Amino acid sequence: MDHQVNVNDTLSYQEPAPIKDKENPFESMMERFDVAAEMLGLERGVYEYLKTPVKQVIVSIPIQMDNGEVEIFEGYRVIHNDILGPSKGGLRFAPDVNLDEIKALAAWMTWKCAVVNIPFGGAKGGVRCDPSKLTPVELEKITRRYTANMLDIFGEDRDIPAPDMGTNEQVMAWIMDTYSMHMKRTATAVVTGKPLIIGGSVGRREATGRGVMIVTLGAMEKLGMKPKETSVVVQGFGNVGSISAQLVQQQGCNVIGIGDVTGGYYNKKGLDVEKAIEWVRKHKVLNGFPGAEKITQAELLELECDVLVPAAKEDQITPKNAGKIKAKIICEGANGPTMAKADPILRDKGIVVIPDILANAGGVTVSYFEWVQDRVGYFWSIERVNRRLERMMKNAFEAVYSTAEHYKVSLRIGAYIIAIDKVARTLKLRGIYA
Ligand code: GLU
C-alpha cells in the first residue's frame, strides 16, 4: 500500500477547458432546486430555509512567503445546511475561488449527502490561491492558518472538510494536525481524505472515480448498452477523471478520448489509460502522450462516443456546445459541469445525464466510511469499503431512476426531489428552534 504523499504530485491546479461562458453557480443550482421544490409543493418557509446557507465565513490568511514578503490570501467556508448531521464537504485551492462558487458547492454537498443517504449536511471551503505557484512550505502555512481561523467551525461533530480541487492528502494531514494541536488530542475524524497511516480509509482516493464507474454501468444497463460495445470520453485527468477512465476500461469499455489542461487526446481504437496515468505521473500533464491524436478541448466534448464523463470543472457543457454533444450518457464526475441553461437541450436530444449530486457522490460516501472508522478506531478492508460503496451507489442510482420515472423528469430533477424531500422532512421533524 502506498503511504507516501508527495505534495507536488497532485497539487498542480489545472485550468478548466477554455469555454469562457460562466453561469453564477449558485443561481444555476437554484434553477434546478426550484423545479424540484415546485414538484414537491414545498411551502415557502421551508423553501427559504433550504436555500439559505446556515453560515458563511470569510477569513484573511496572512502568510510570510519564502521570499520574506507578506501576502494575504482569502479563505472561505460555507455551511449550507446541517439538518441531516455535521456538515461535510471539500476544501478547494484555486485562483478563481469565490464566495458564490463555494455557496453553490456547499449546497450541492447537502443534496449529494441526502441522495446517497449519509448522515451529513453540506459545506464547502476554499482558499483563493494558485497551489501550482506555491512552495510546499507556503502551502503548509496557508493550510494551517486557514485551519486555525476555522477552529470554531471545524469539528468531528460539526463540520468536516475533505480534499477537492487543488488540495490532497497532505493538505488534509496538515488540517488534522493543526486542529489536533489546538484541541490537545489527536482528532483524526475532523477531516477525511487523509493519508492511510494517520487514519485515512483504503479506497478513499479512488472512491469518486469508482462511484462514477458504478453509476455509468447502471445507466448503461438501463439503456441495454454492453461495456464491450461502449466508447467513453473523459474530460479532466485529475483524481476523478483518471480513475473513472481506468475503472470503466477495466470493465471492458473502450476509452477513446481523454483530456486535461493541455488539450484533448483521441484514439478511435482506444487509448491505454494505464499508460496515460503513468505518463502524467512522470510529466504532470498529458501533453506529448503517444498513441493518441491531439485535439482541442472543445472537440473532445463533441466526439462521437457513447458515454461522456465531464470530470474537470463547472460550466463545461454550455447552451453553445450542448447541441453538438453526441454521447448517449453524460456522467458528471465534476461538480456542476453542465450549465442549467444546457439541461433542456440535452433533454431534448434524449441524452441521459447522471447528475453530479449522484454521479460523484462516491467520494463523500467513502469519506463517511473514513469518519466512521476513525470514530470507532477500527479499520475496514478494501473489499468491505468497495462492497459498501457499490451497494450505496447502486441503491441511490435506483432511487433516483425510479423517482425520475415517477415524476416524469430528468435524473437530475429526480435526484433533487429525493434530496430536498429528505432534508425538508427531517427539518419538519426537528422543528424550528426559537
Ligand atoms: N470534494 C468532494 C466532493 O465534492 C468530497 C467531499 C467530501 O468527501 O467531504 O464531493
Side-chain angles (χ1 to χ4, degrees):
M1 198 52 66
D2 178 17
H3 285 169
Q4 293 300 112
V5 180
N6 181 349
V7 187
N8 294 317
D9 258 5
T10 51
L11 271 181
S12 61
Y13 168 73
Q14 305 213 331
E15 284 288 336
I19 299 163
K20 295 288 179 235
D21 313 51
K22 270 256 167 211
E23 251 179 15
N24 174 312
F26 193 74
E27 279 165 21
S28 179
M29 185 283 297
M30 281 307 297
E31 270 190 47
R32 281 80 172 241
F33 176 90
D34 282 349
V35 177
E38 198 178 321
M39 303 211 95
L40 283 168
L42 218 61
E43 53 211 80
R44 196 196 59 79
V46 176
Y47 172 89
E48 291 296 332
Y49 195 109
L50 296 190
K51 94 175 221 208
T52 315
V54 168
K55 223 174 256 178
Q56 304 178 57
V57 186
I58 303 179
V59 293
S60 96
I61 304 168
I63 295 301
Q64 185 161 35
M65 308 297 277
D66 286 5
N67 65 6
E69 302 268 330
V70 173
E71 299 258 354
I72 314 288
F73 296 88
E74 193 158 86
Y76 311 88
R77 186 76 182 168
V78 173
I79 295 179
H80 171 259
N81 194 282
D82 55 2
I83 285 290
L84 295 184
S87 51
K88 187 84 192 79
L91 171 63
R92 175 172 289 202
F93 286 177
D96 55 354
V97 158
N98 61 73
L99 189 62
D100 252 331
E101 181 190 31
I102 299 294
K103 263 170 71 179
L105 289 160
W108 279 323
M109 286 309 303
T110 302
W111 313 134
K112 200 184 292 187
C113 293
V115 166
V116 282
N117 215 7
I118 56 180
F120 288 138
K124 199 82 173 195
V127 176
R128 195 183 301 171
C129 65
D130 183 347
S132 69
K133 301 210 170 88
L134 296 165
T135 67
V137 172
E138 291 163 348
L139 205 57
E140 178 171 356
K141 283 183 183 171
I142 290 177
T143 306
R144 288 189 183 275
R145 186 63 187 256
Y146 172 81
T147 307
N149 283 340
M150 295 293 170
L151 285 177
D152 295 341
I153 305 292
F154 292 165
E156 296 102 313
D157 291 308
R158 286 200 302 256
D159 179 39
I160 305 133
D164 198 79
M165 281 171 44
T167 61
N168 64 7
E169 295 177 4
Q170 175 63 78
V171 172
M172 300 306 116
W174 290 325
I175 294 176
M176 186 280 246
D177 184 69
T178 309
Y179 185 85
S180 297
M181 288 295 133
H182 283 270
M183 297 300 141
K184 310 245 180 274
R185 65 188 163 85
T186 297
T188 50
V190 72
V191 60
T192 60
K194 299 179 294 294
L196 279 185
I197 40 168
I198 58 163
S201 175
V202 286
R204 172 62 186 85
R205 200 187 292 174
E206 302 79 24
T208 312
R210 182 168 290 277
V212 166
M213 178 272 284
I214 294 165
V215 292
T216 299
L217 259 63
M220 282 164 51
E221 202 182 314
K222 298 279 183 202
L223 297 182
M225 291 159 64
K226 304 214 165 39
K228 292 251 171 310
E229 296 153 15
T230 301
S231 57
V232 181
V233 169
V234 181
Q235 182 211 29
F237 213 68
N239 179 255
V240 181
S242 64
I243 306 283
S244 302
Q246 185 184 36
L247 293 180
V248 293
Q249 186 158 71
Q250 280 171 14
Q251 293 296 319
C253 297
N254 192 19
V255 178
I256 59 164
I258 54 178
D260 70 0
V261 60
T262 63
Y265 300 83
Y266 169 59
N267 186 335
K268 204 173 164 191
K269 296 206 183 85
L271 296 148
D272 188 330
V273 178
E274 303 292 341
K275 285 213 173 105
I277 291 175
E278 200 46 49
W279 181 270
V280 170
R281 206 169 279 147
K282 280 205 196 104
H283 302 89
K284 305 257 181 269
V285 284
L286 282 168
N287 199 25
F289 174 62
E293 181 192 331
K294 188 148 182 195
I295 55 174
T296 66
Q297 289 162 340
E299 284 166 343
L300 182 75
L301 294 176
E302 295 163 19
L303 279 176
E304 194 81 52
C305 66
D306 299 307
V307 177
L308 173 64
V309 180
K313 237 209 130 176
E314 291 107 272
D315 295 345
Q316 302 300 297
I317 300 175
T318 71
K320 277 193 201 141
N321 66 7
K324 297 185 204 144
I325 286 176
K326 303 184 185 68
K328 298 183 186 81
I329 296 172
I330 295 176
C331 185
E332 297 184 334
N335 290 309
T338 307
M339 286 182 174
K341 302 266 179 298
D343 279 351
I345 303 170
L346 299 175
R347 185 123 211 258
D348 288 349
K349 291 188 69 163
I351 299 175
V352 174
V353 180
I354 311 173
D356 46 6
I357 57 172
L358 168 65
N360 67 40
V364 74
T365 301
V366 177
S367 273
Y368 167 53
F369 297 163
E370 179 174 333
W371 180 79
V372 168
Q373 293 170 74
D374 286 341
R375 304 199 69 168
V376 178
Y378 175 76
F379 290 86
W380 305 355
S381 65
I382 186 70
E383 289 77 20
R384 175 180 280 200
V385 168
N386 286 346
R387 202 171 52 238
R388 291 188 176 184
L389 172 64
E390 183 168 359
R391 192 165 65 214
M392 289 178 73
M393 292 300 295
K394 279 188 171 163
N395 286 348
F397 178 79
E398 288 302 331
V400 168
Y401 196 86
S402 56
T403 304
E405 281 203 320
H406 176 80
Y407 284 90
K408 300 193 176 22
V409 292
S410 64
L411 294 183
R412 188 185 313 281
I413 299 302
Y416 272 78
I417 288 175
I418 291 181
I420 294 170
D421 180 53
K422 181 165 185 202
V423 182
R425 278 189 294 123
T426 313
L427 170 65
K428 282 199 178 151
L429 284 170
R430 288 184 63 162
I432 309 276
Y433 173 68

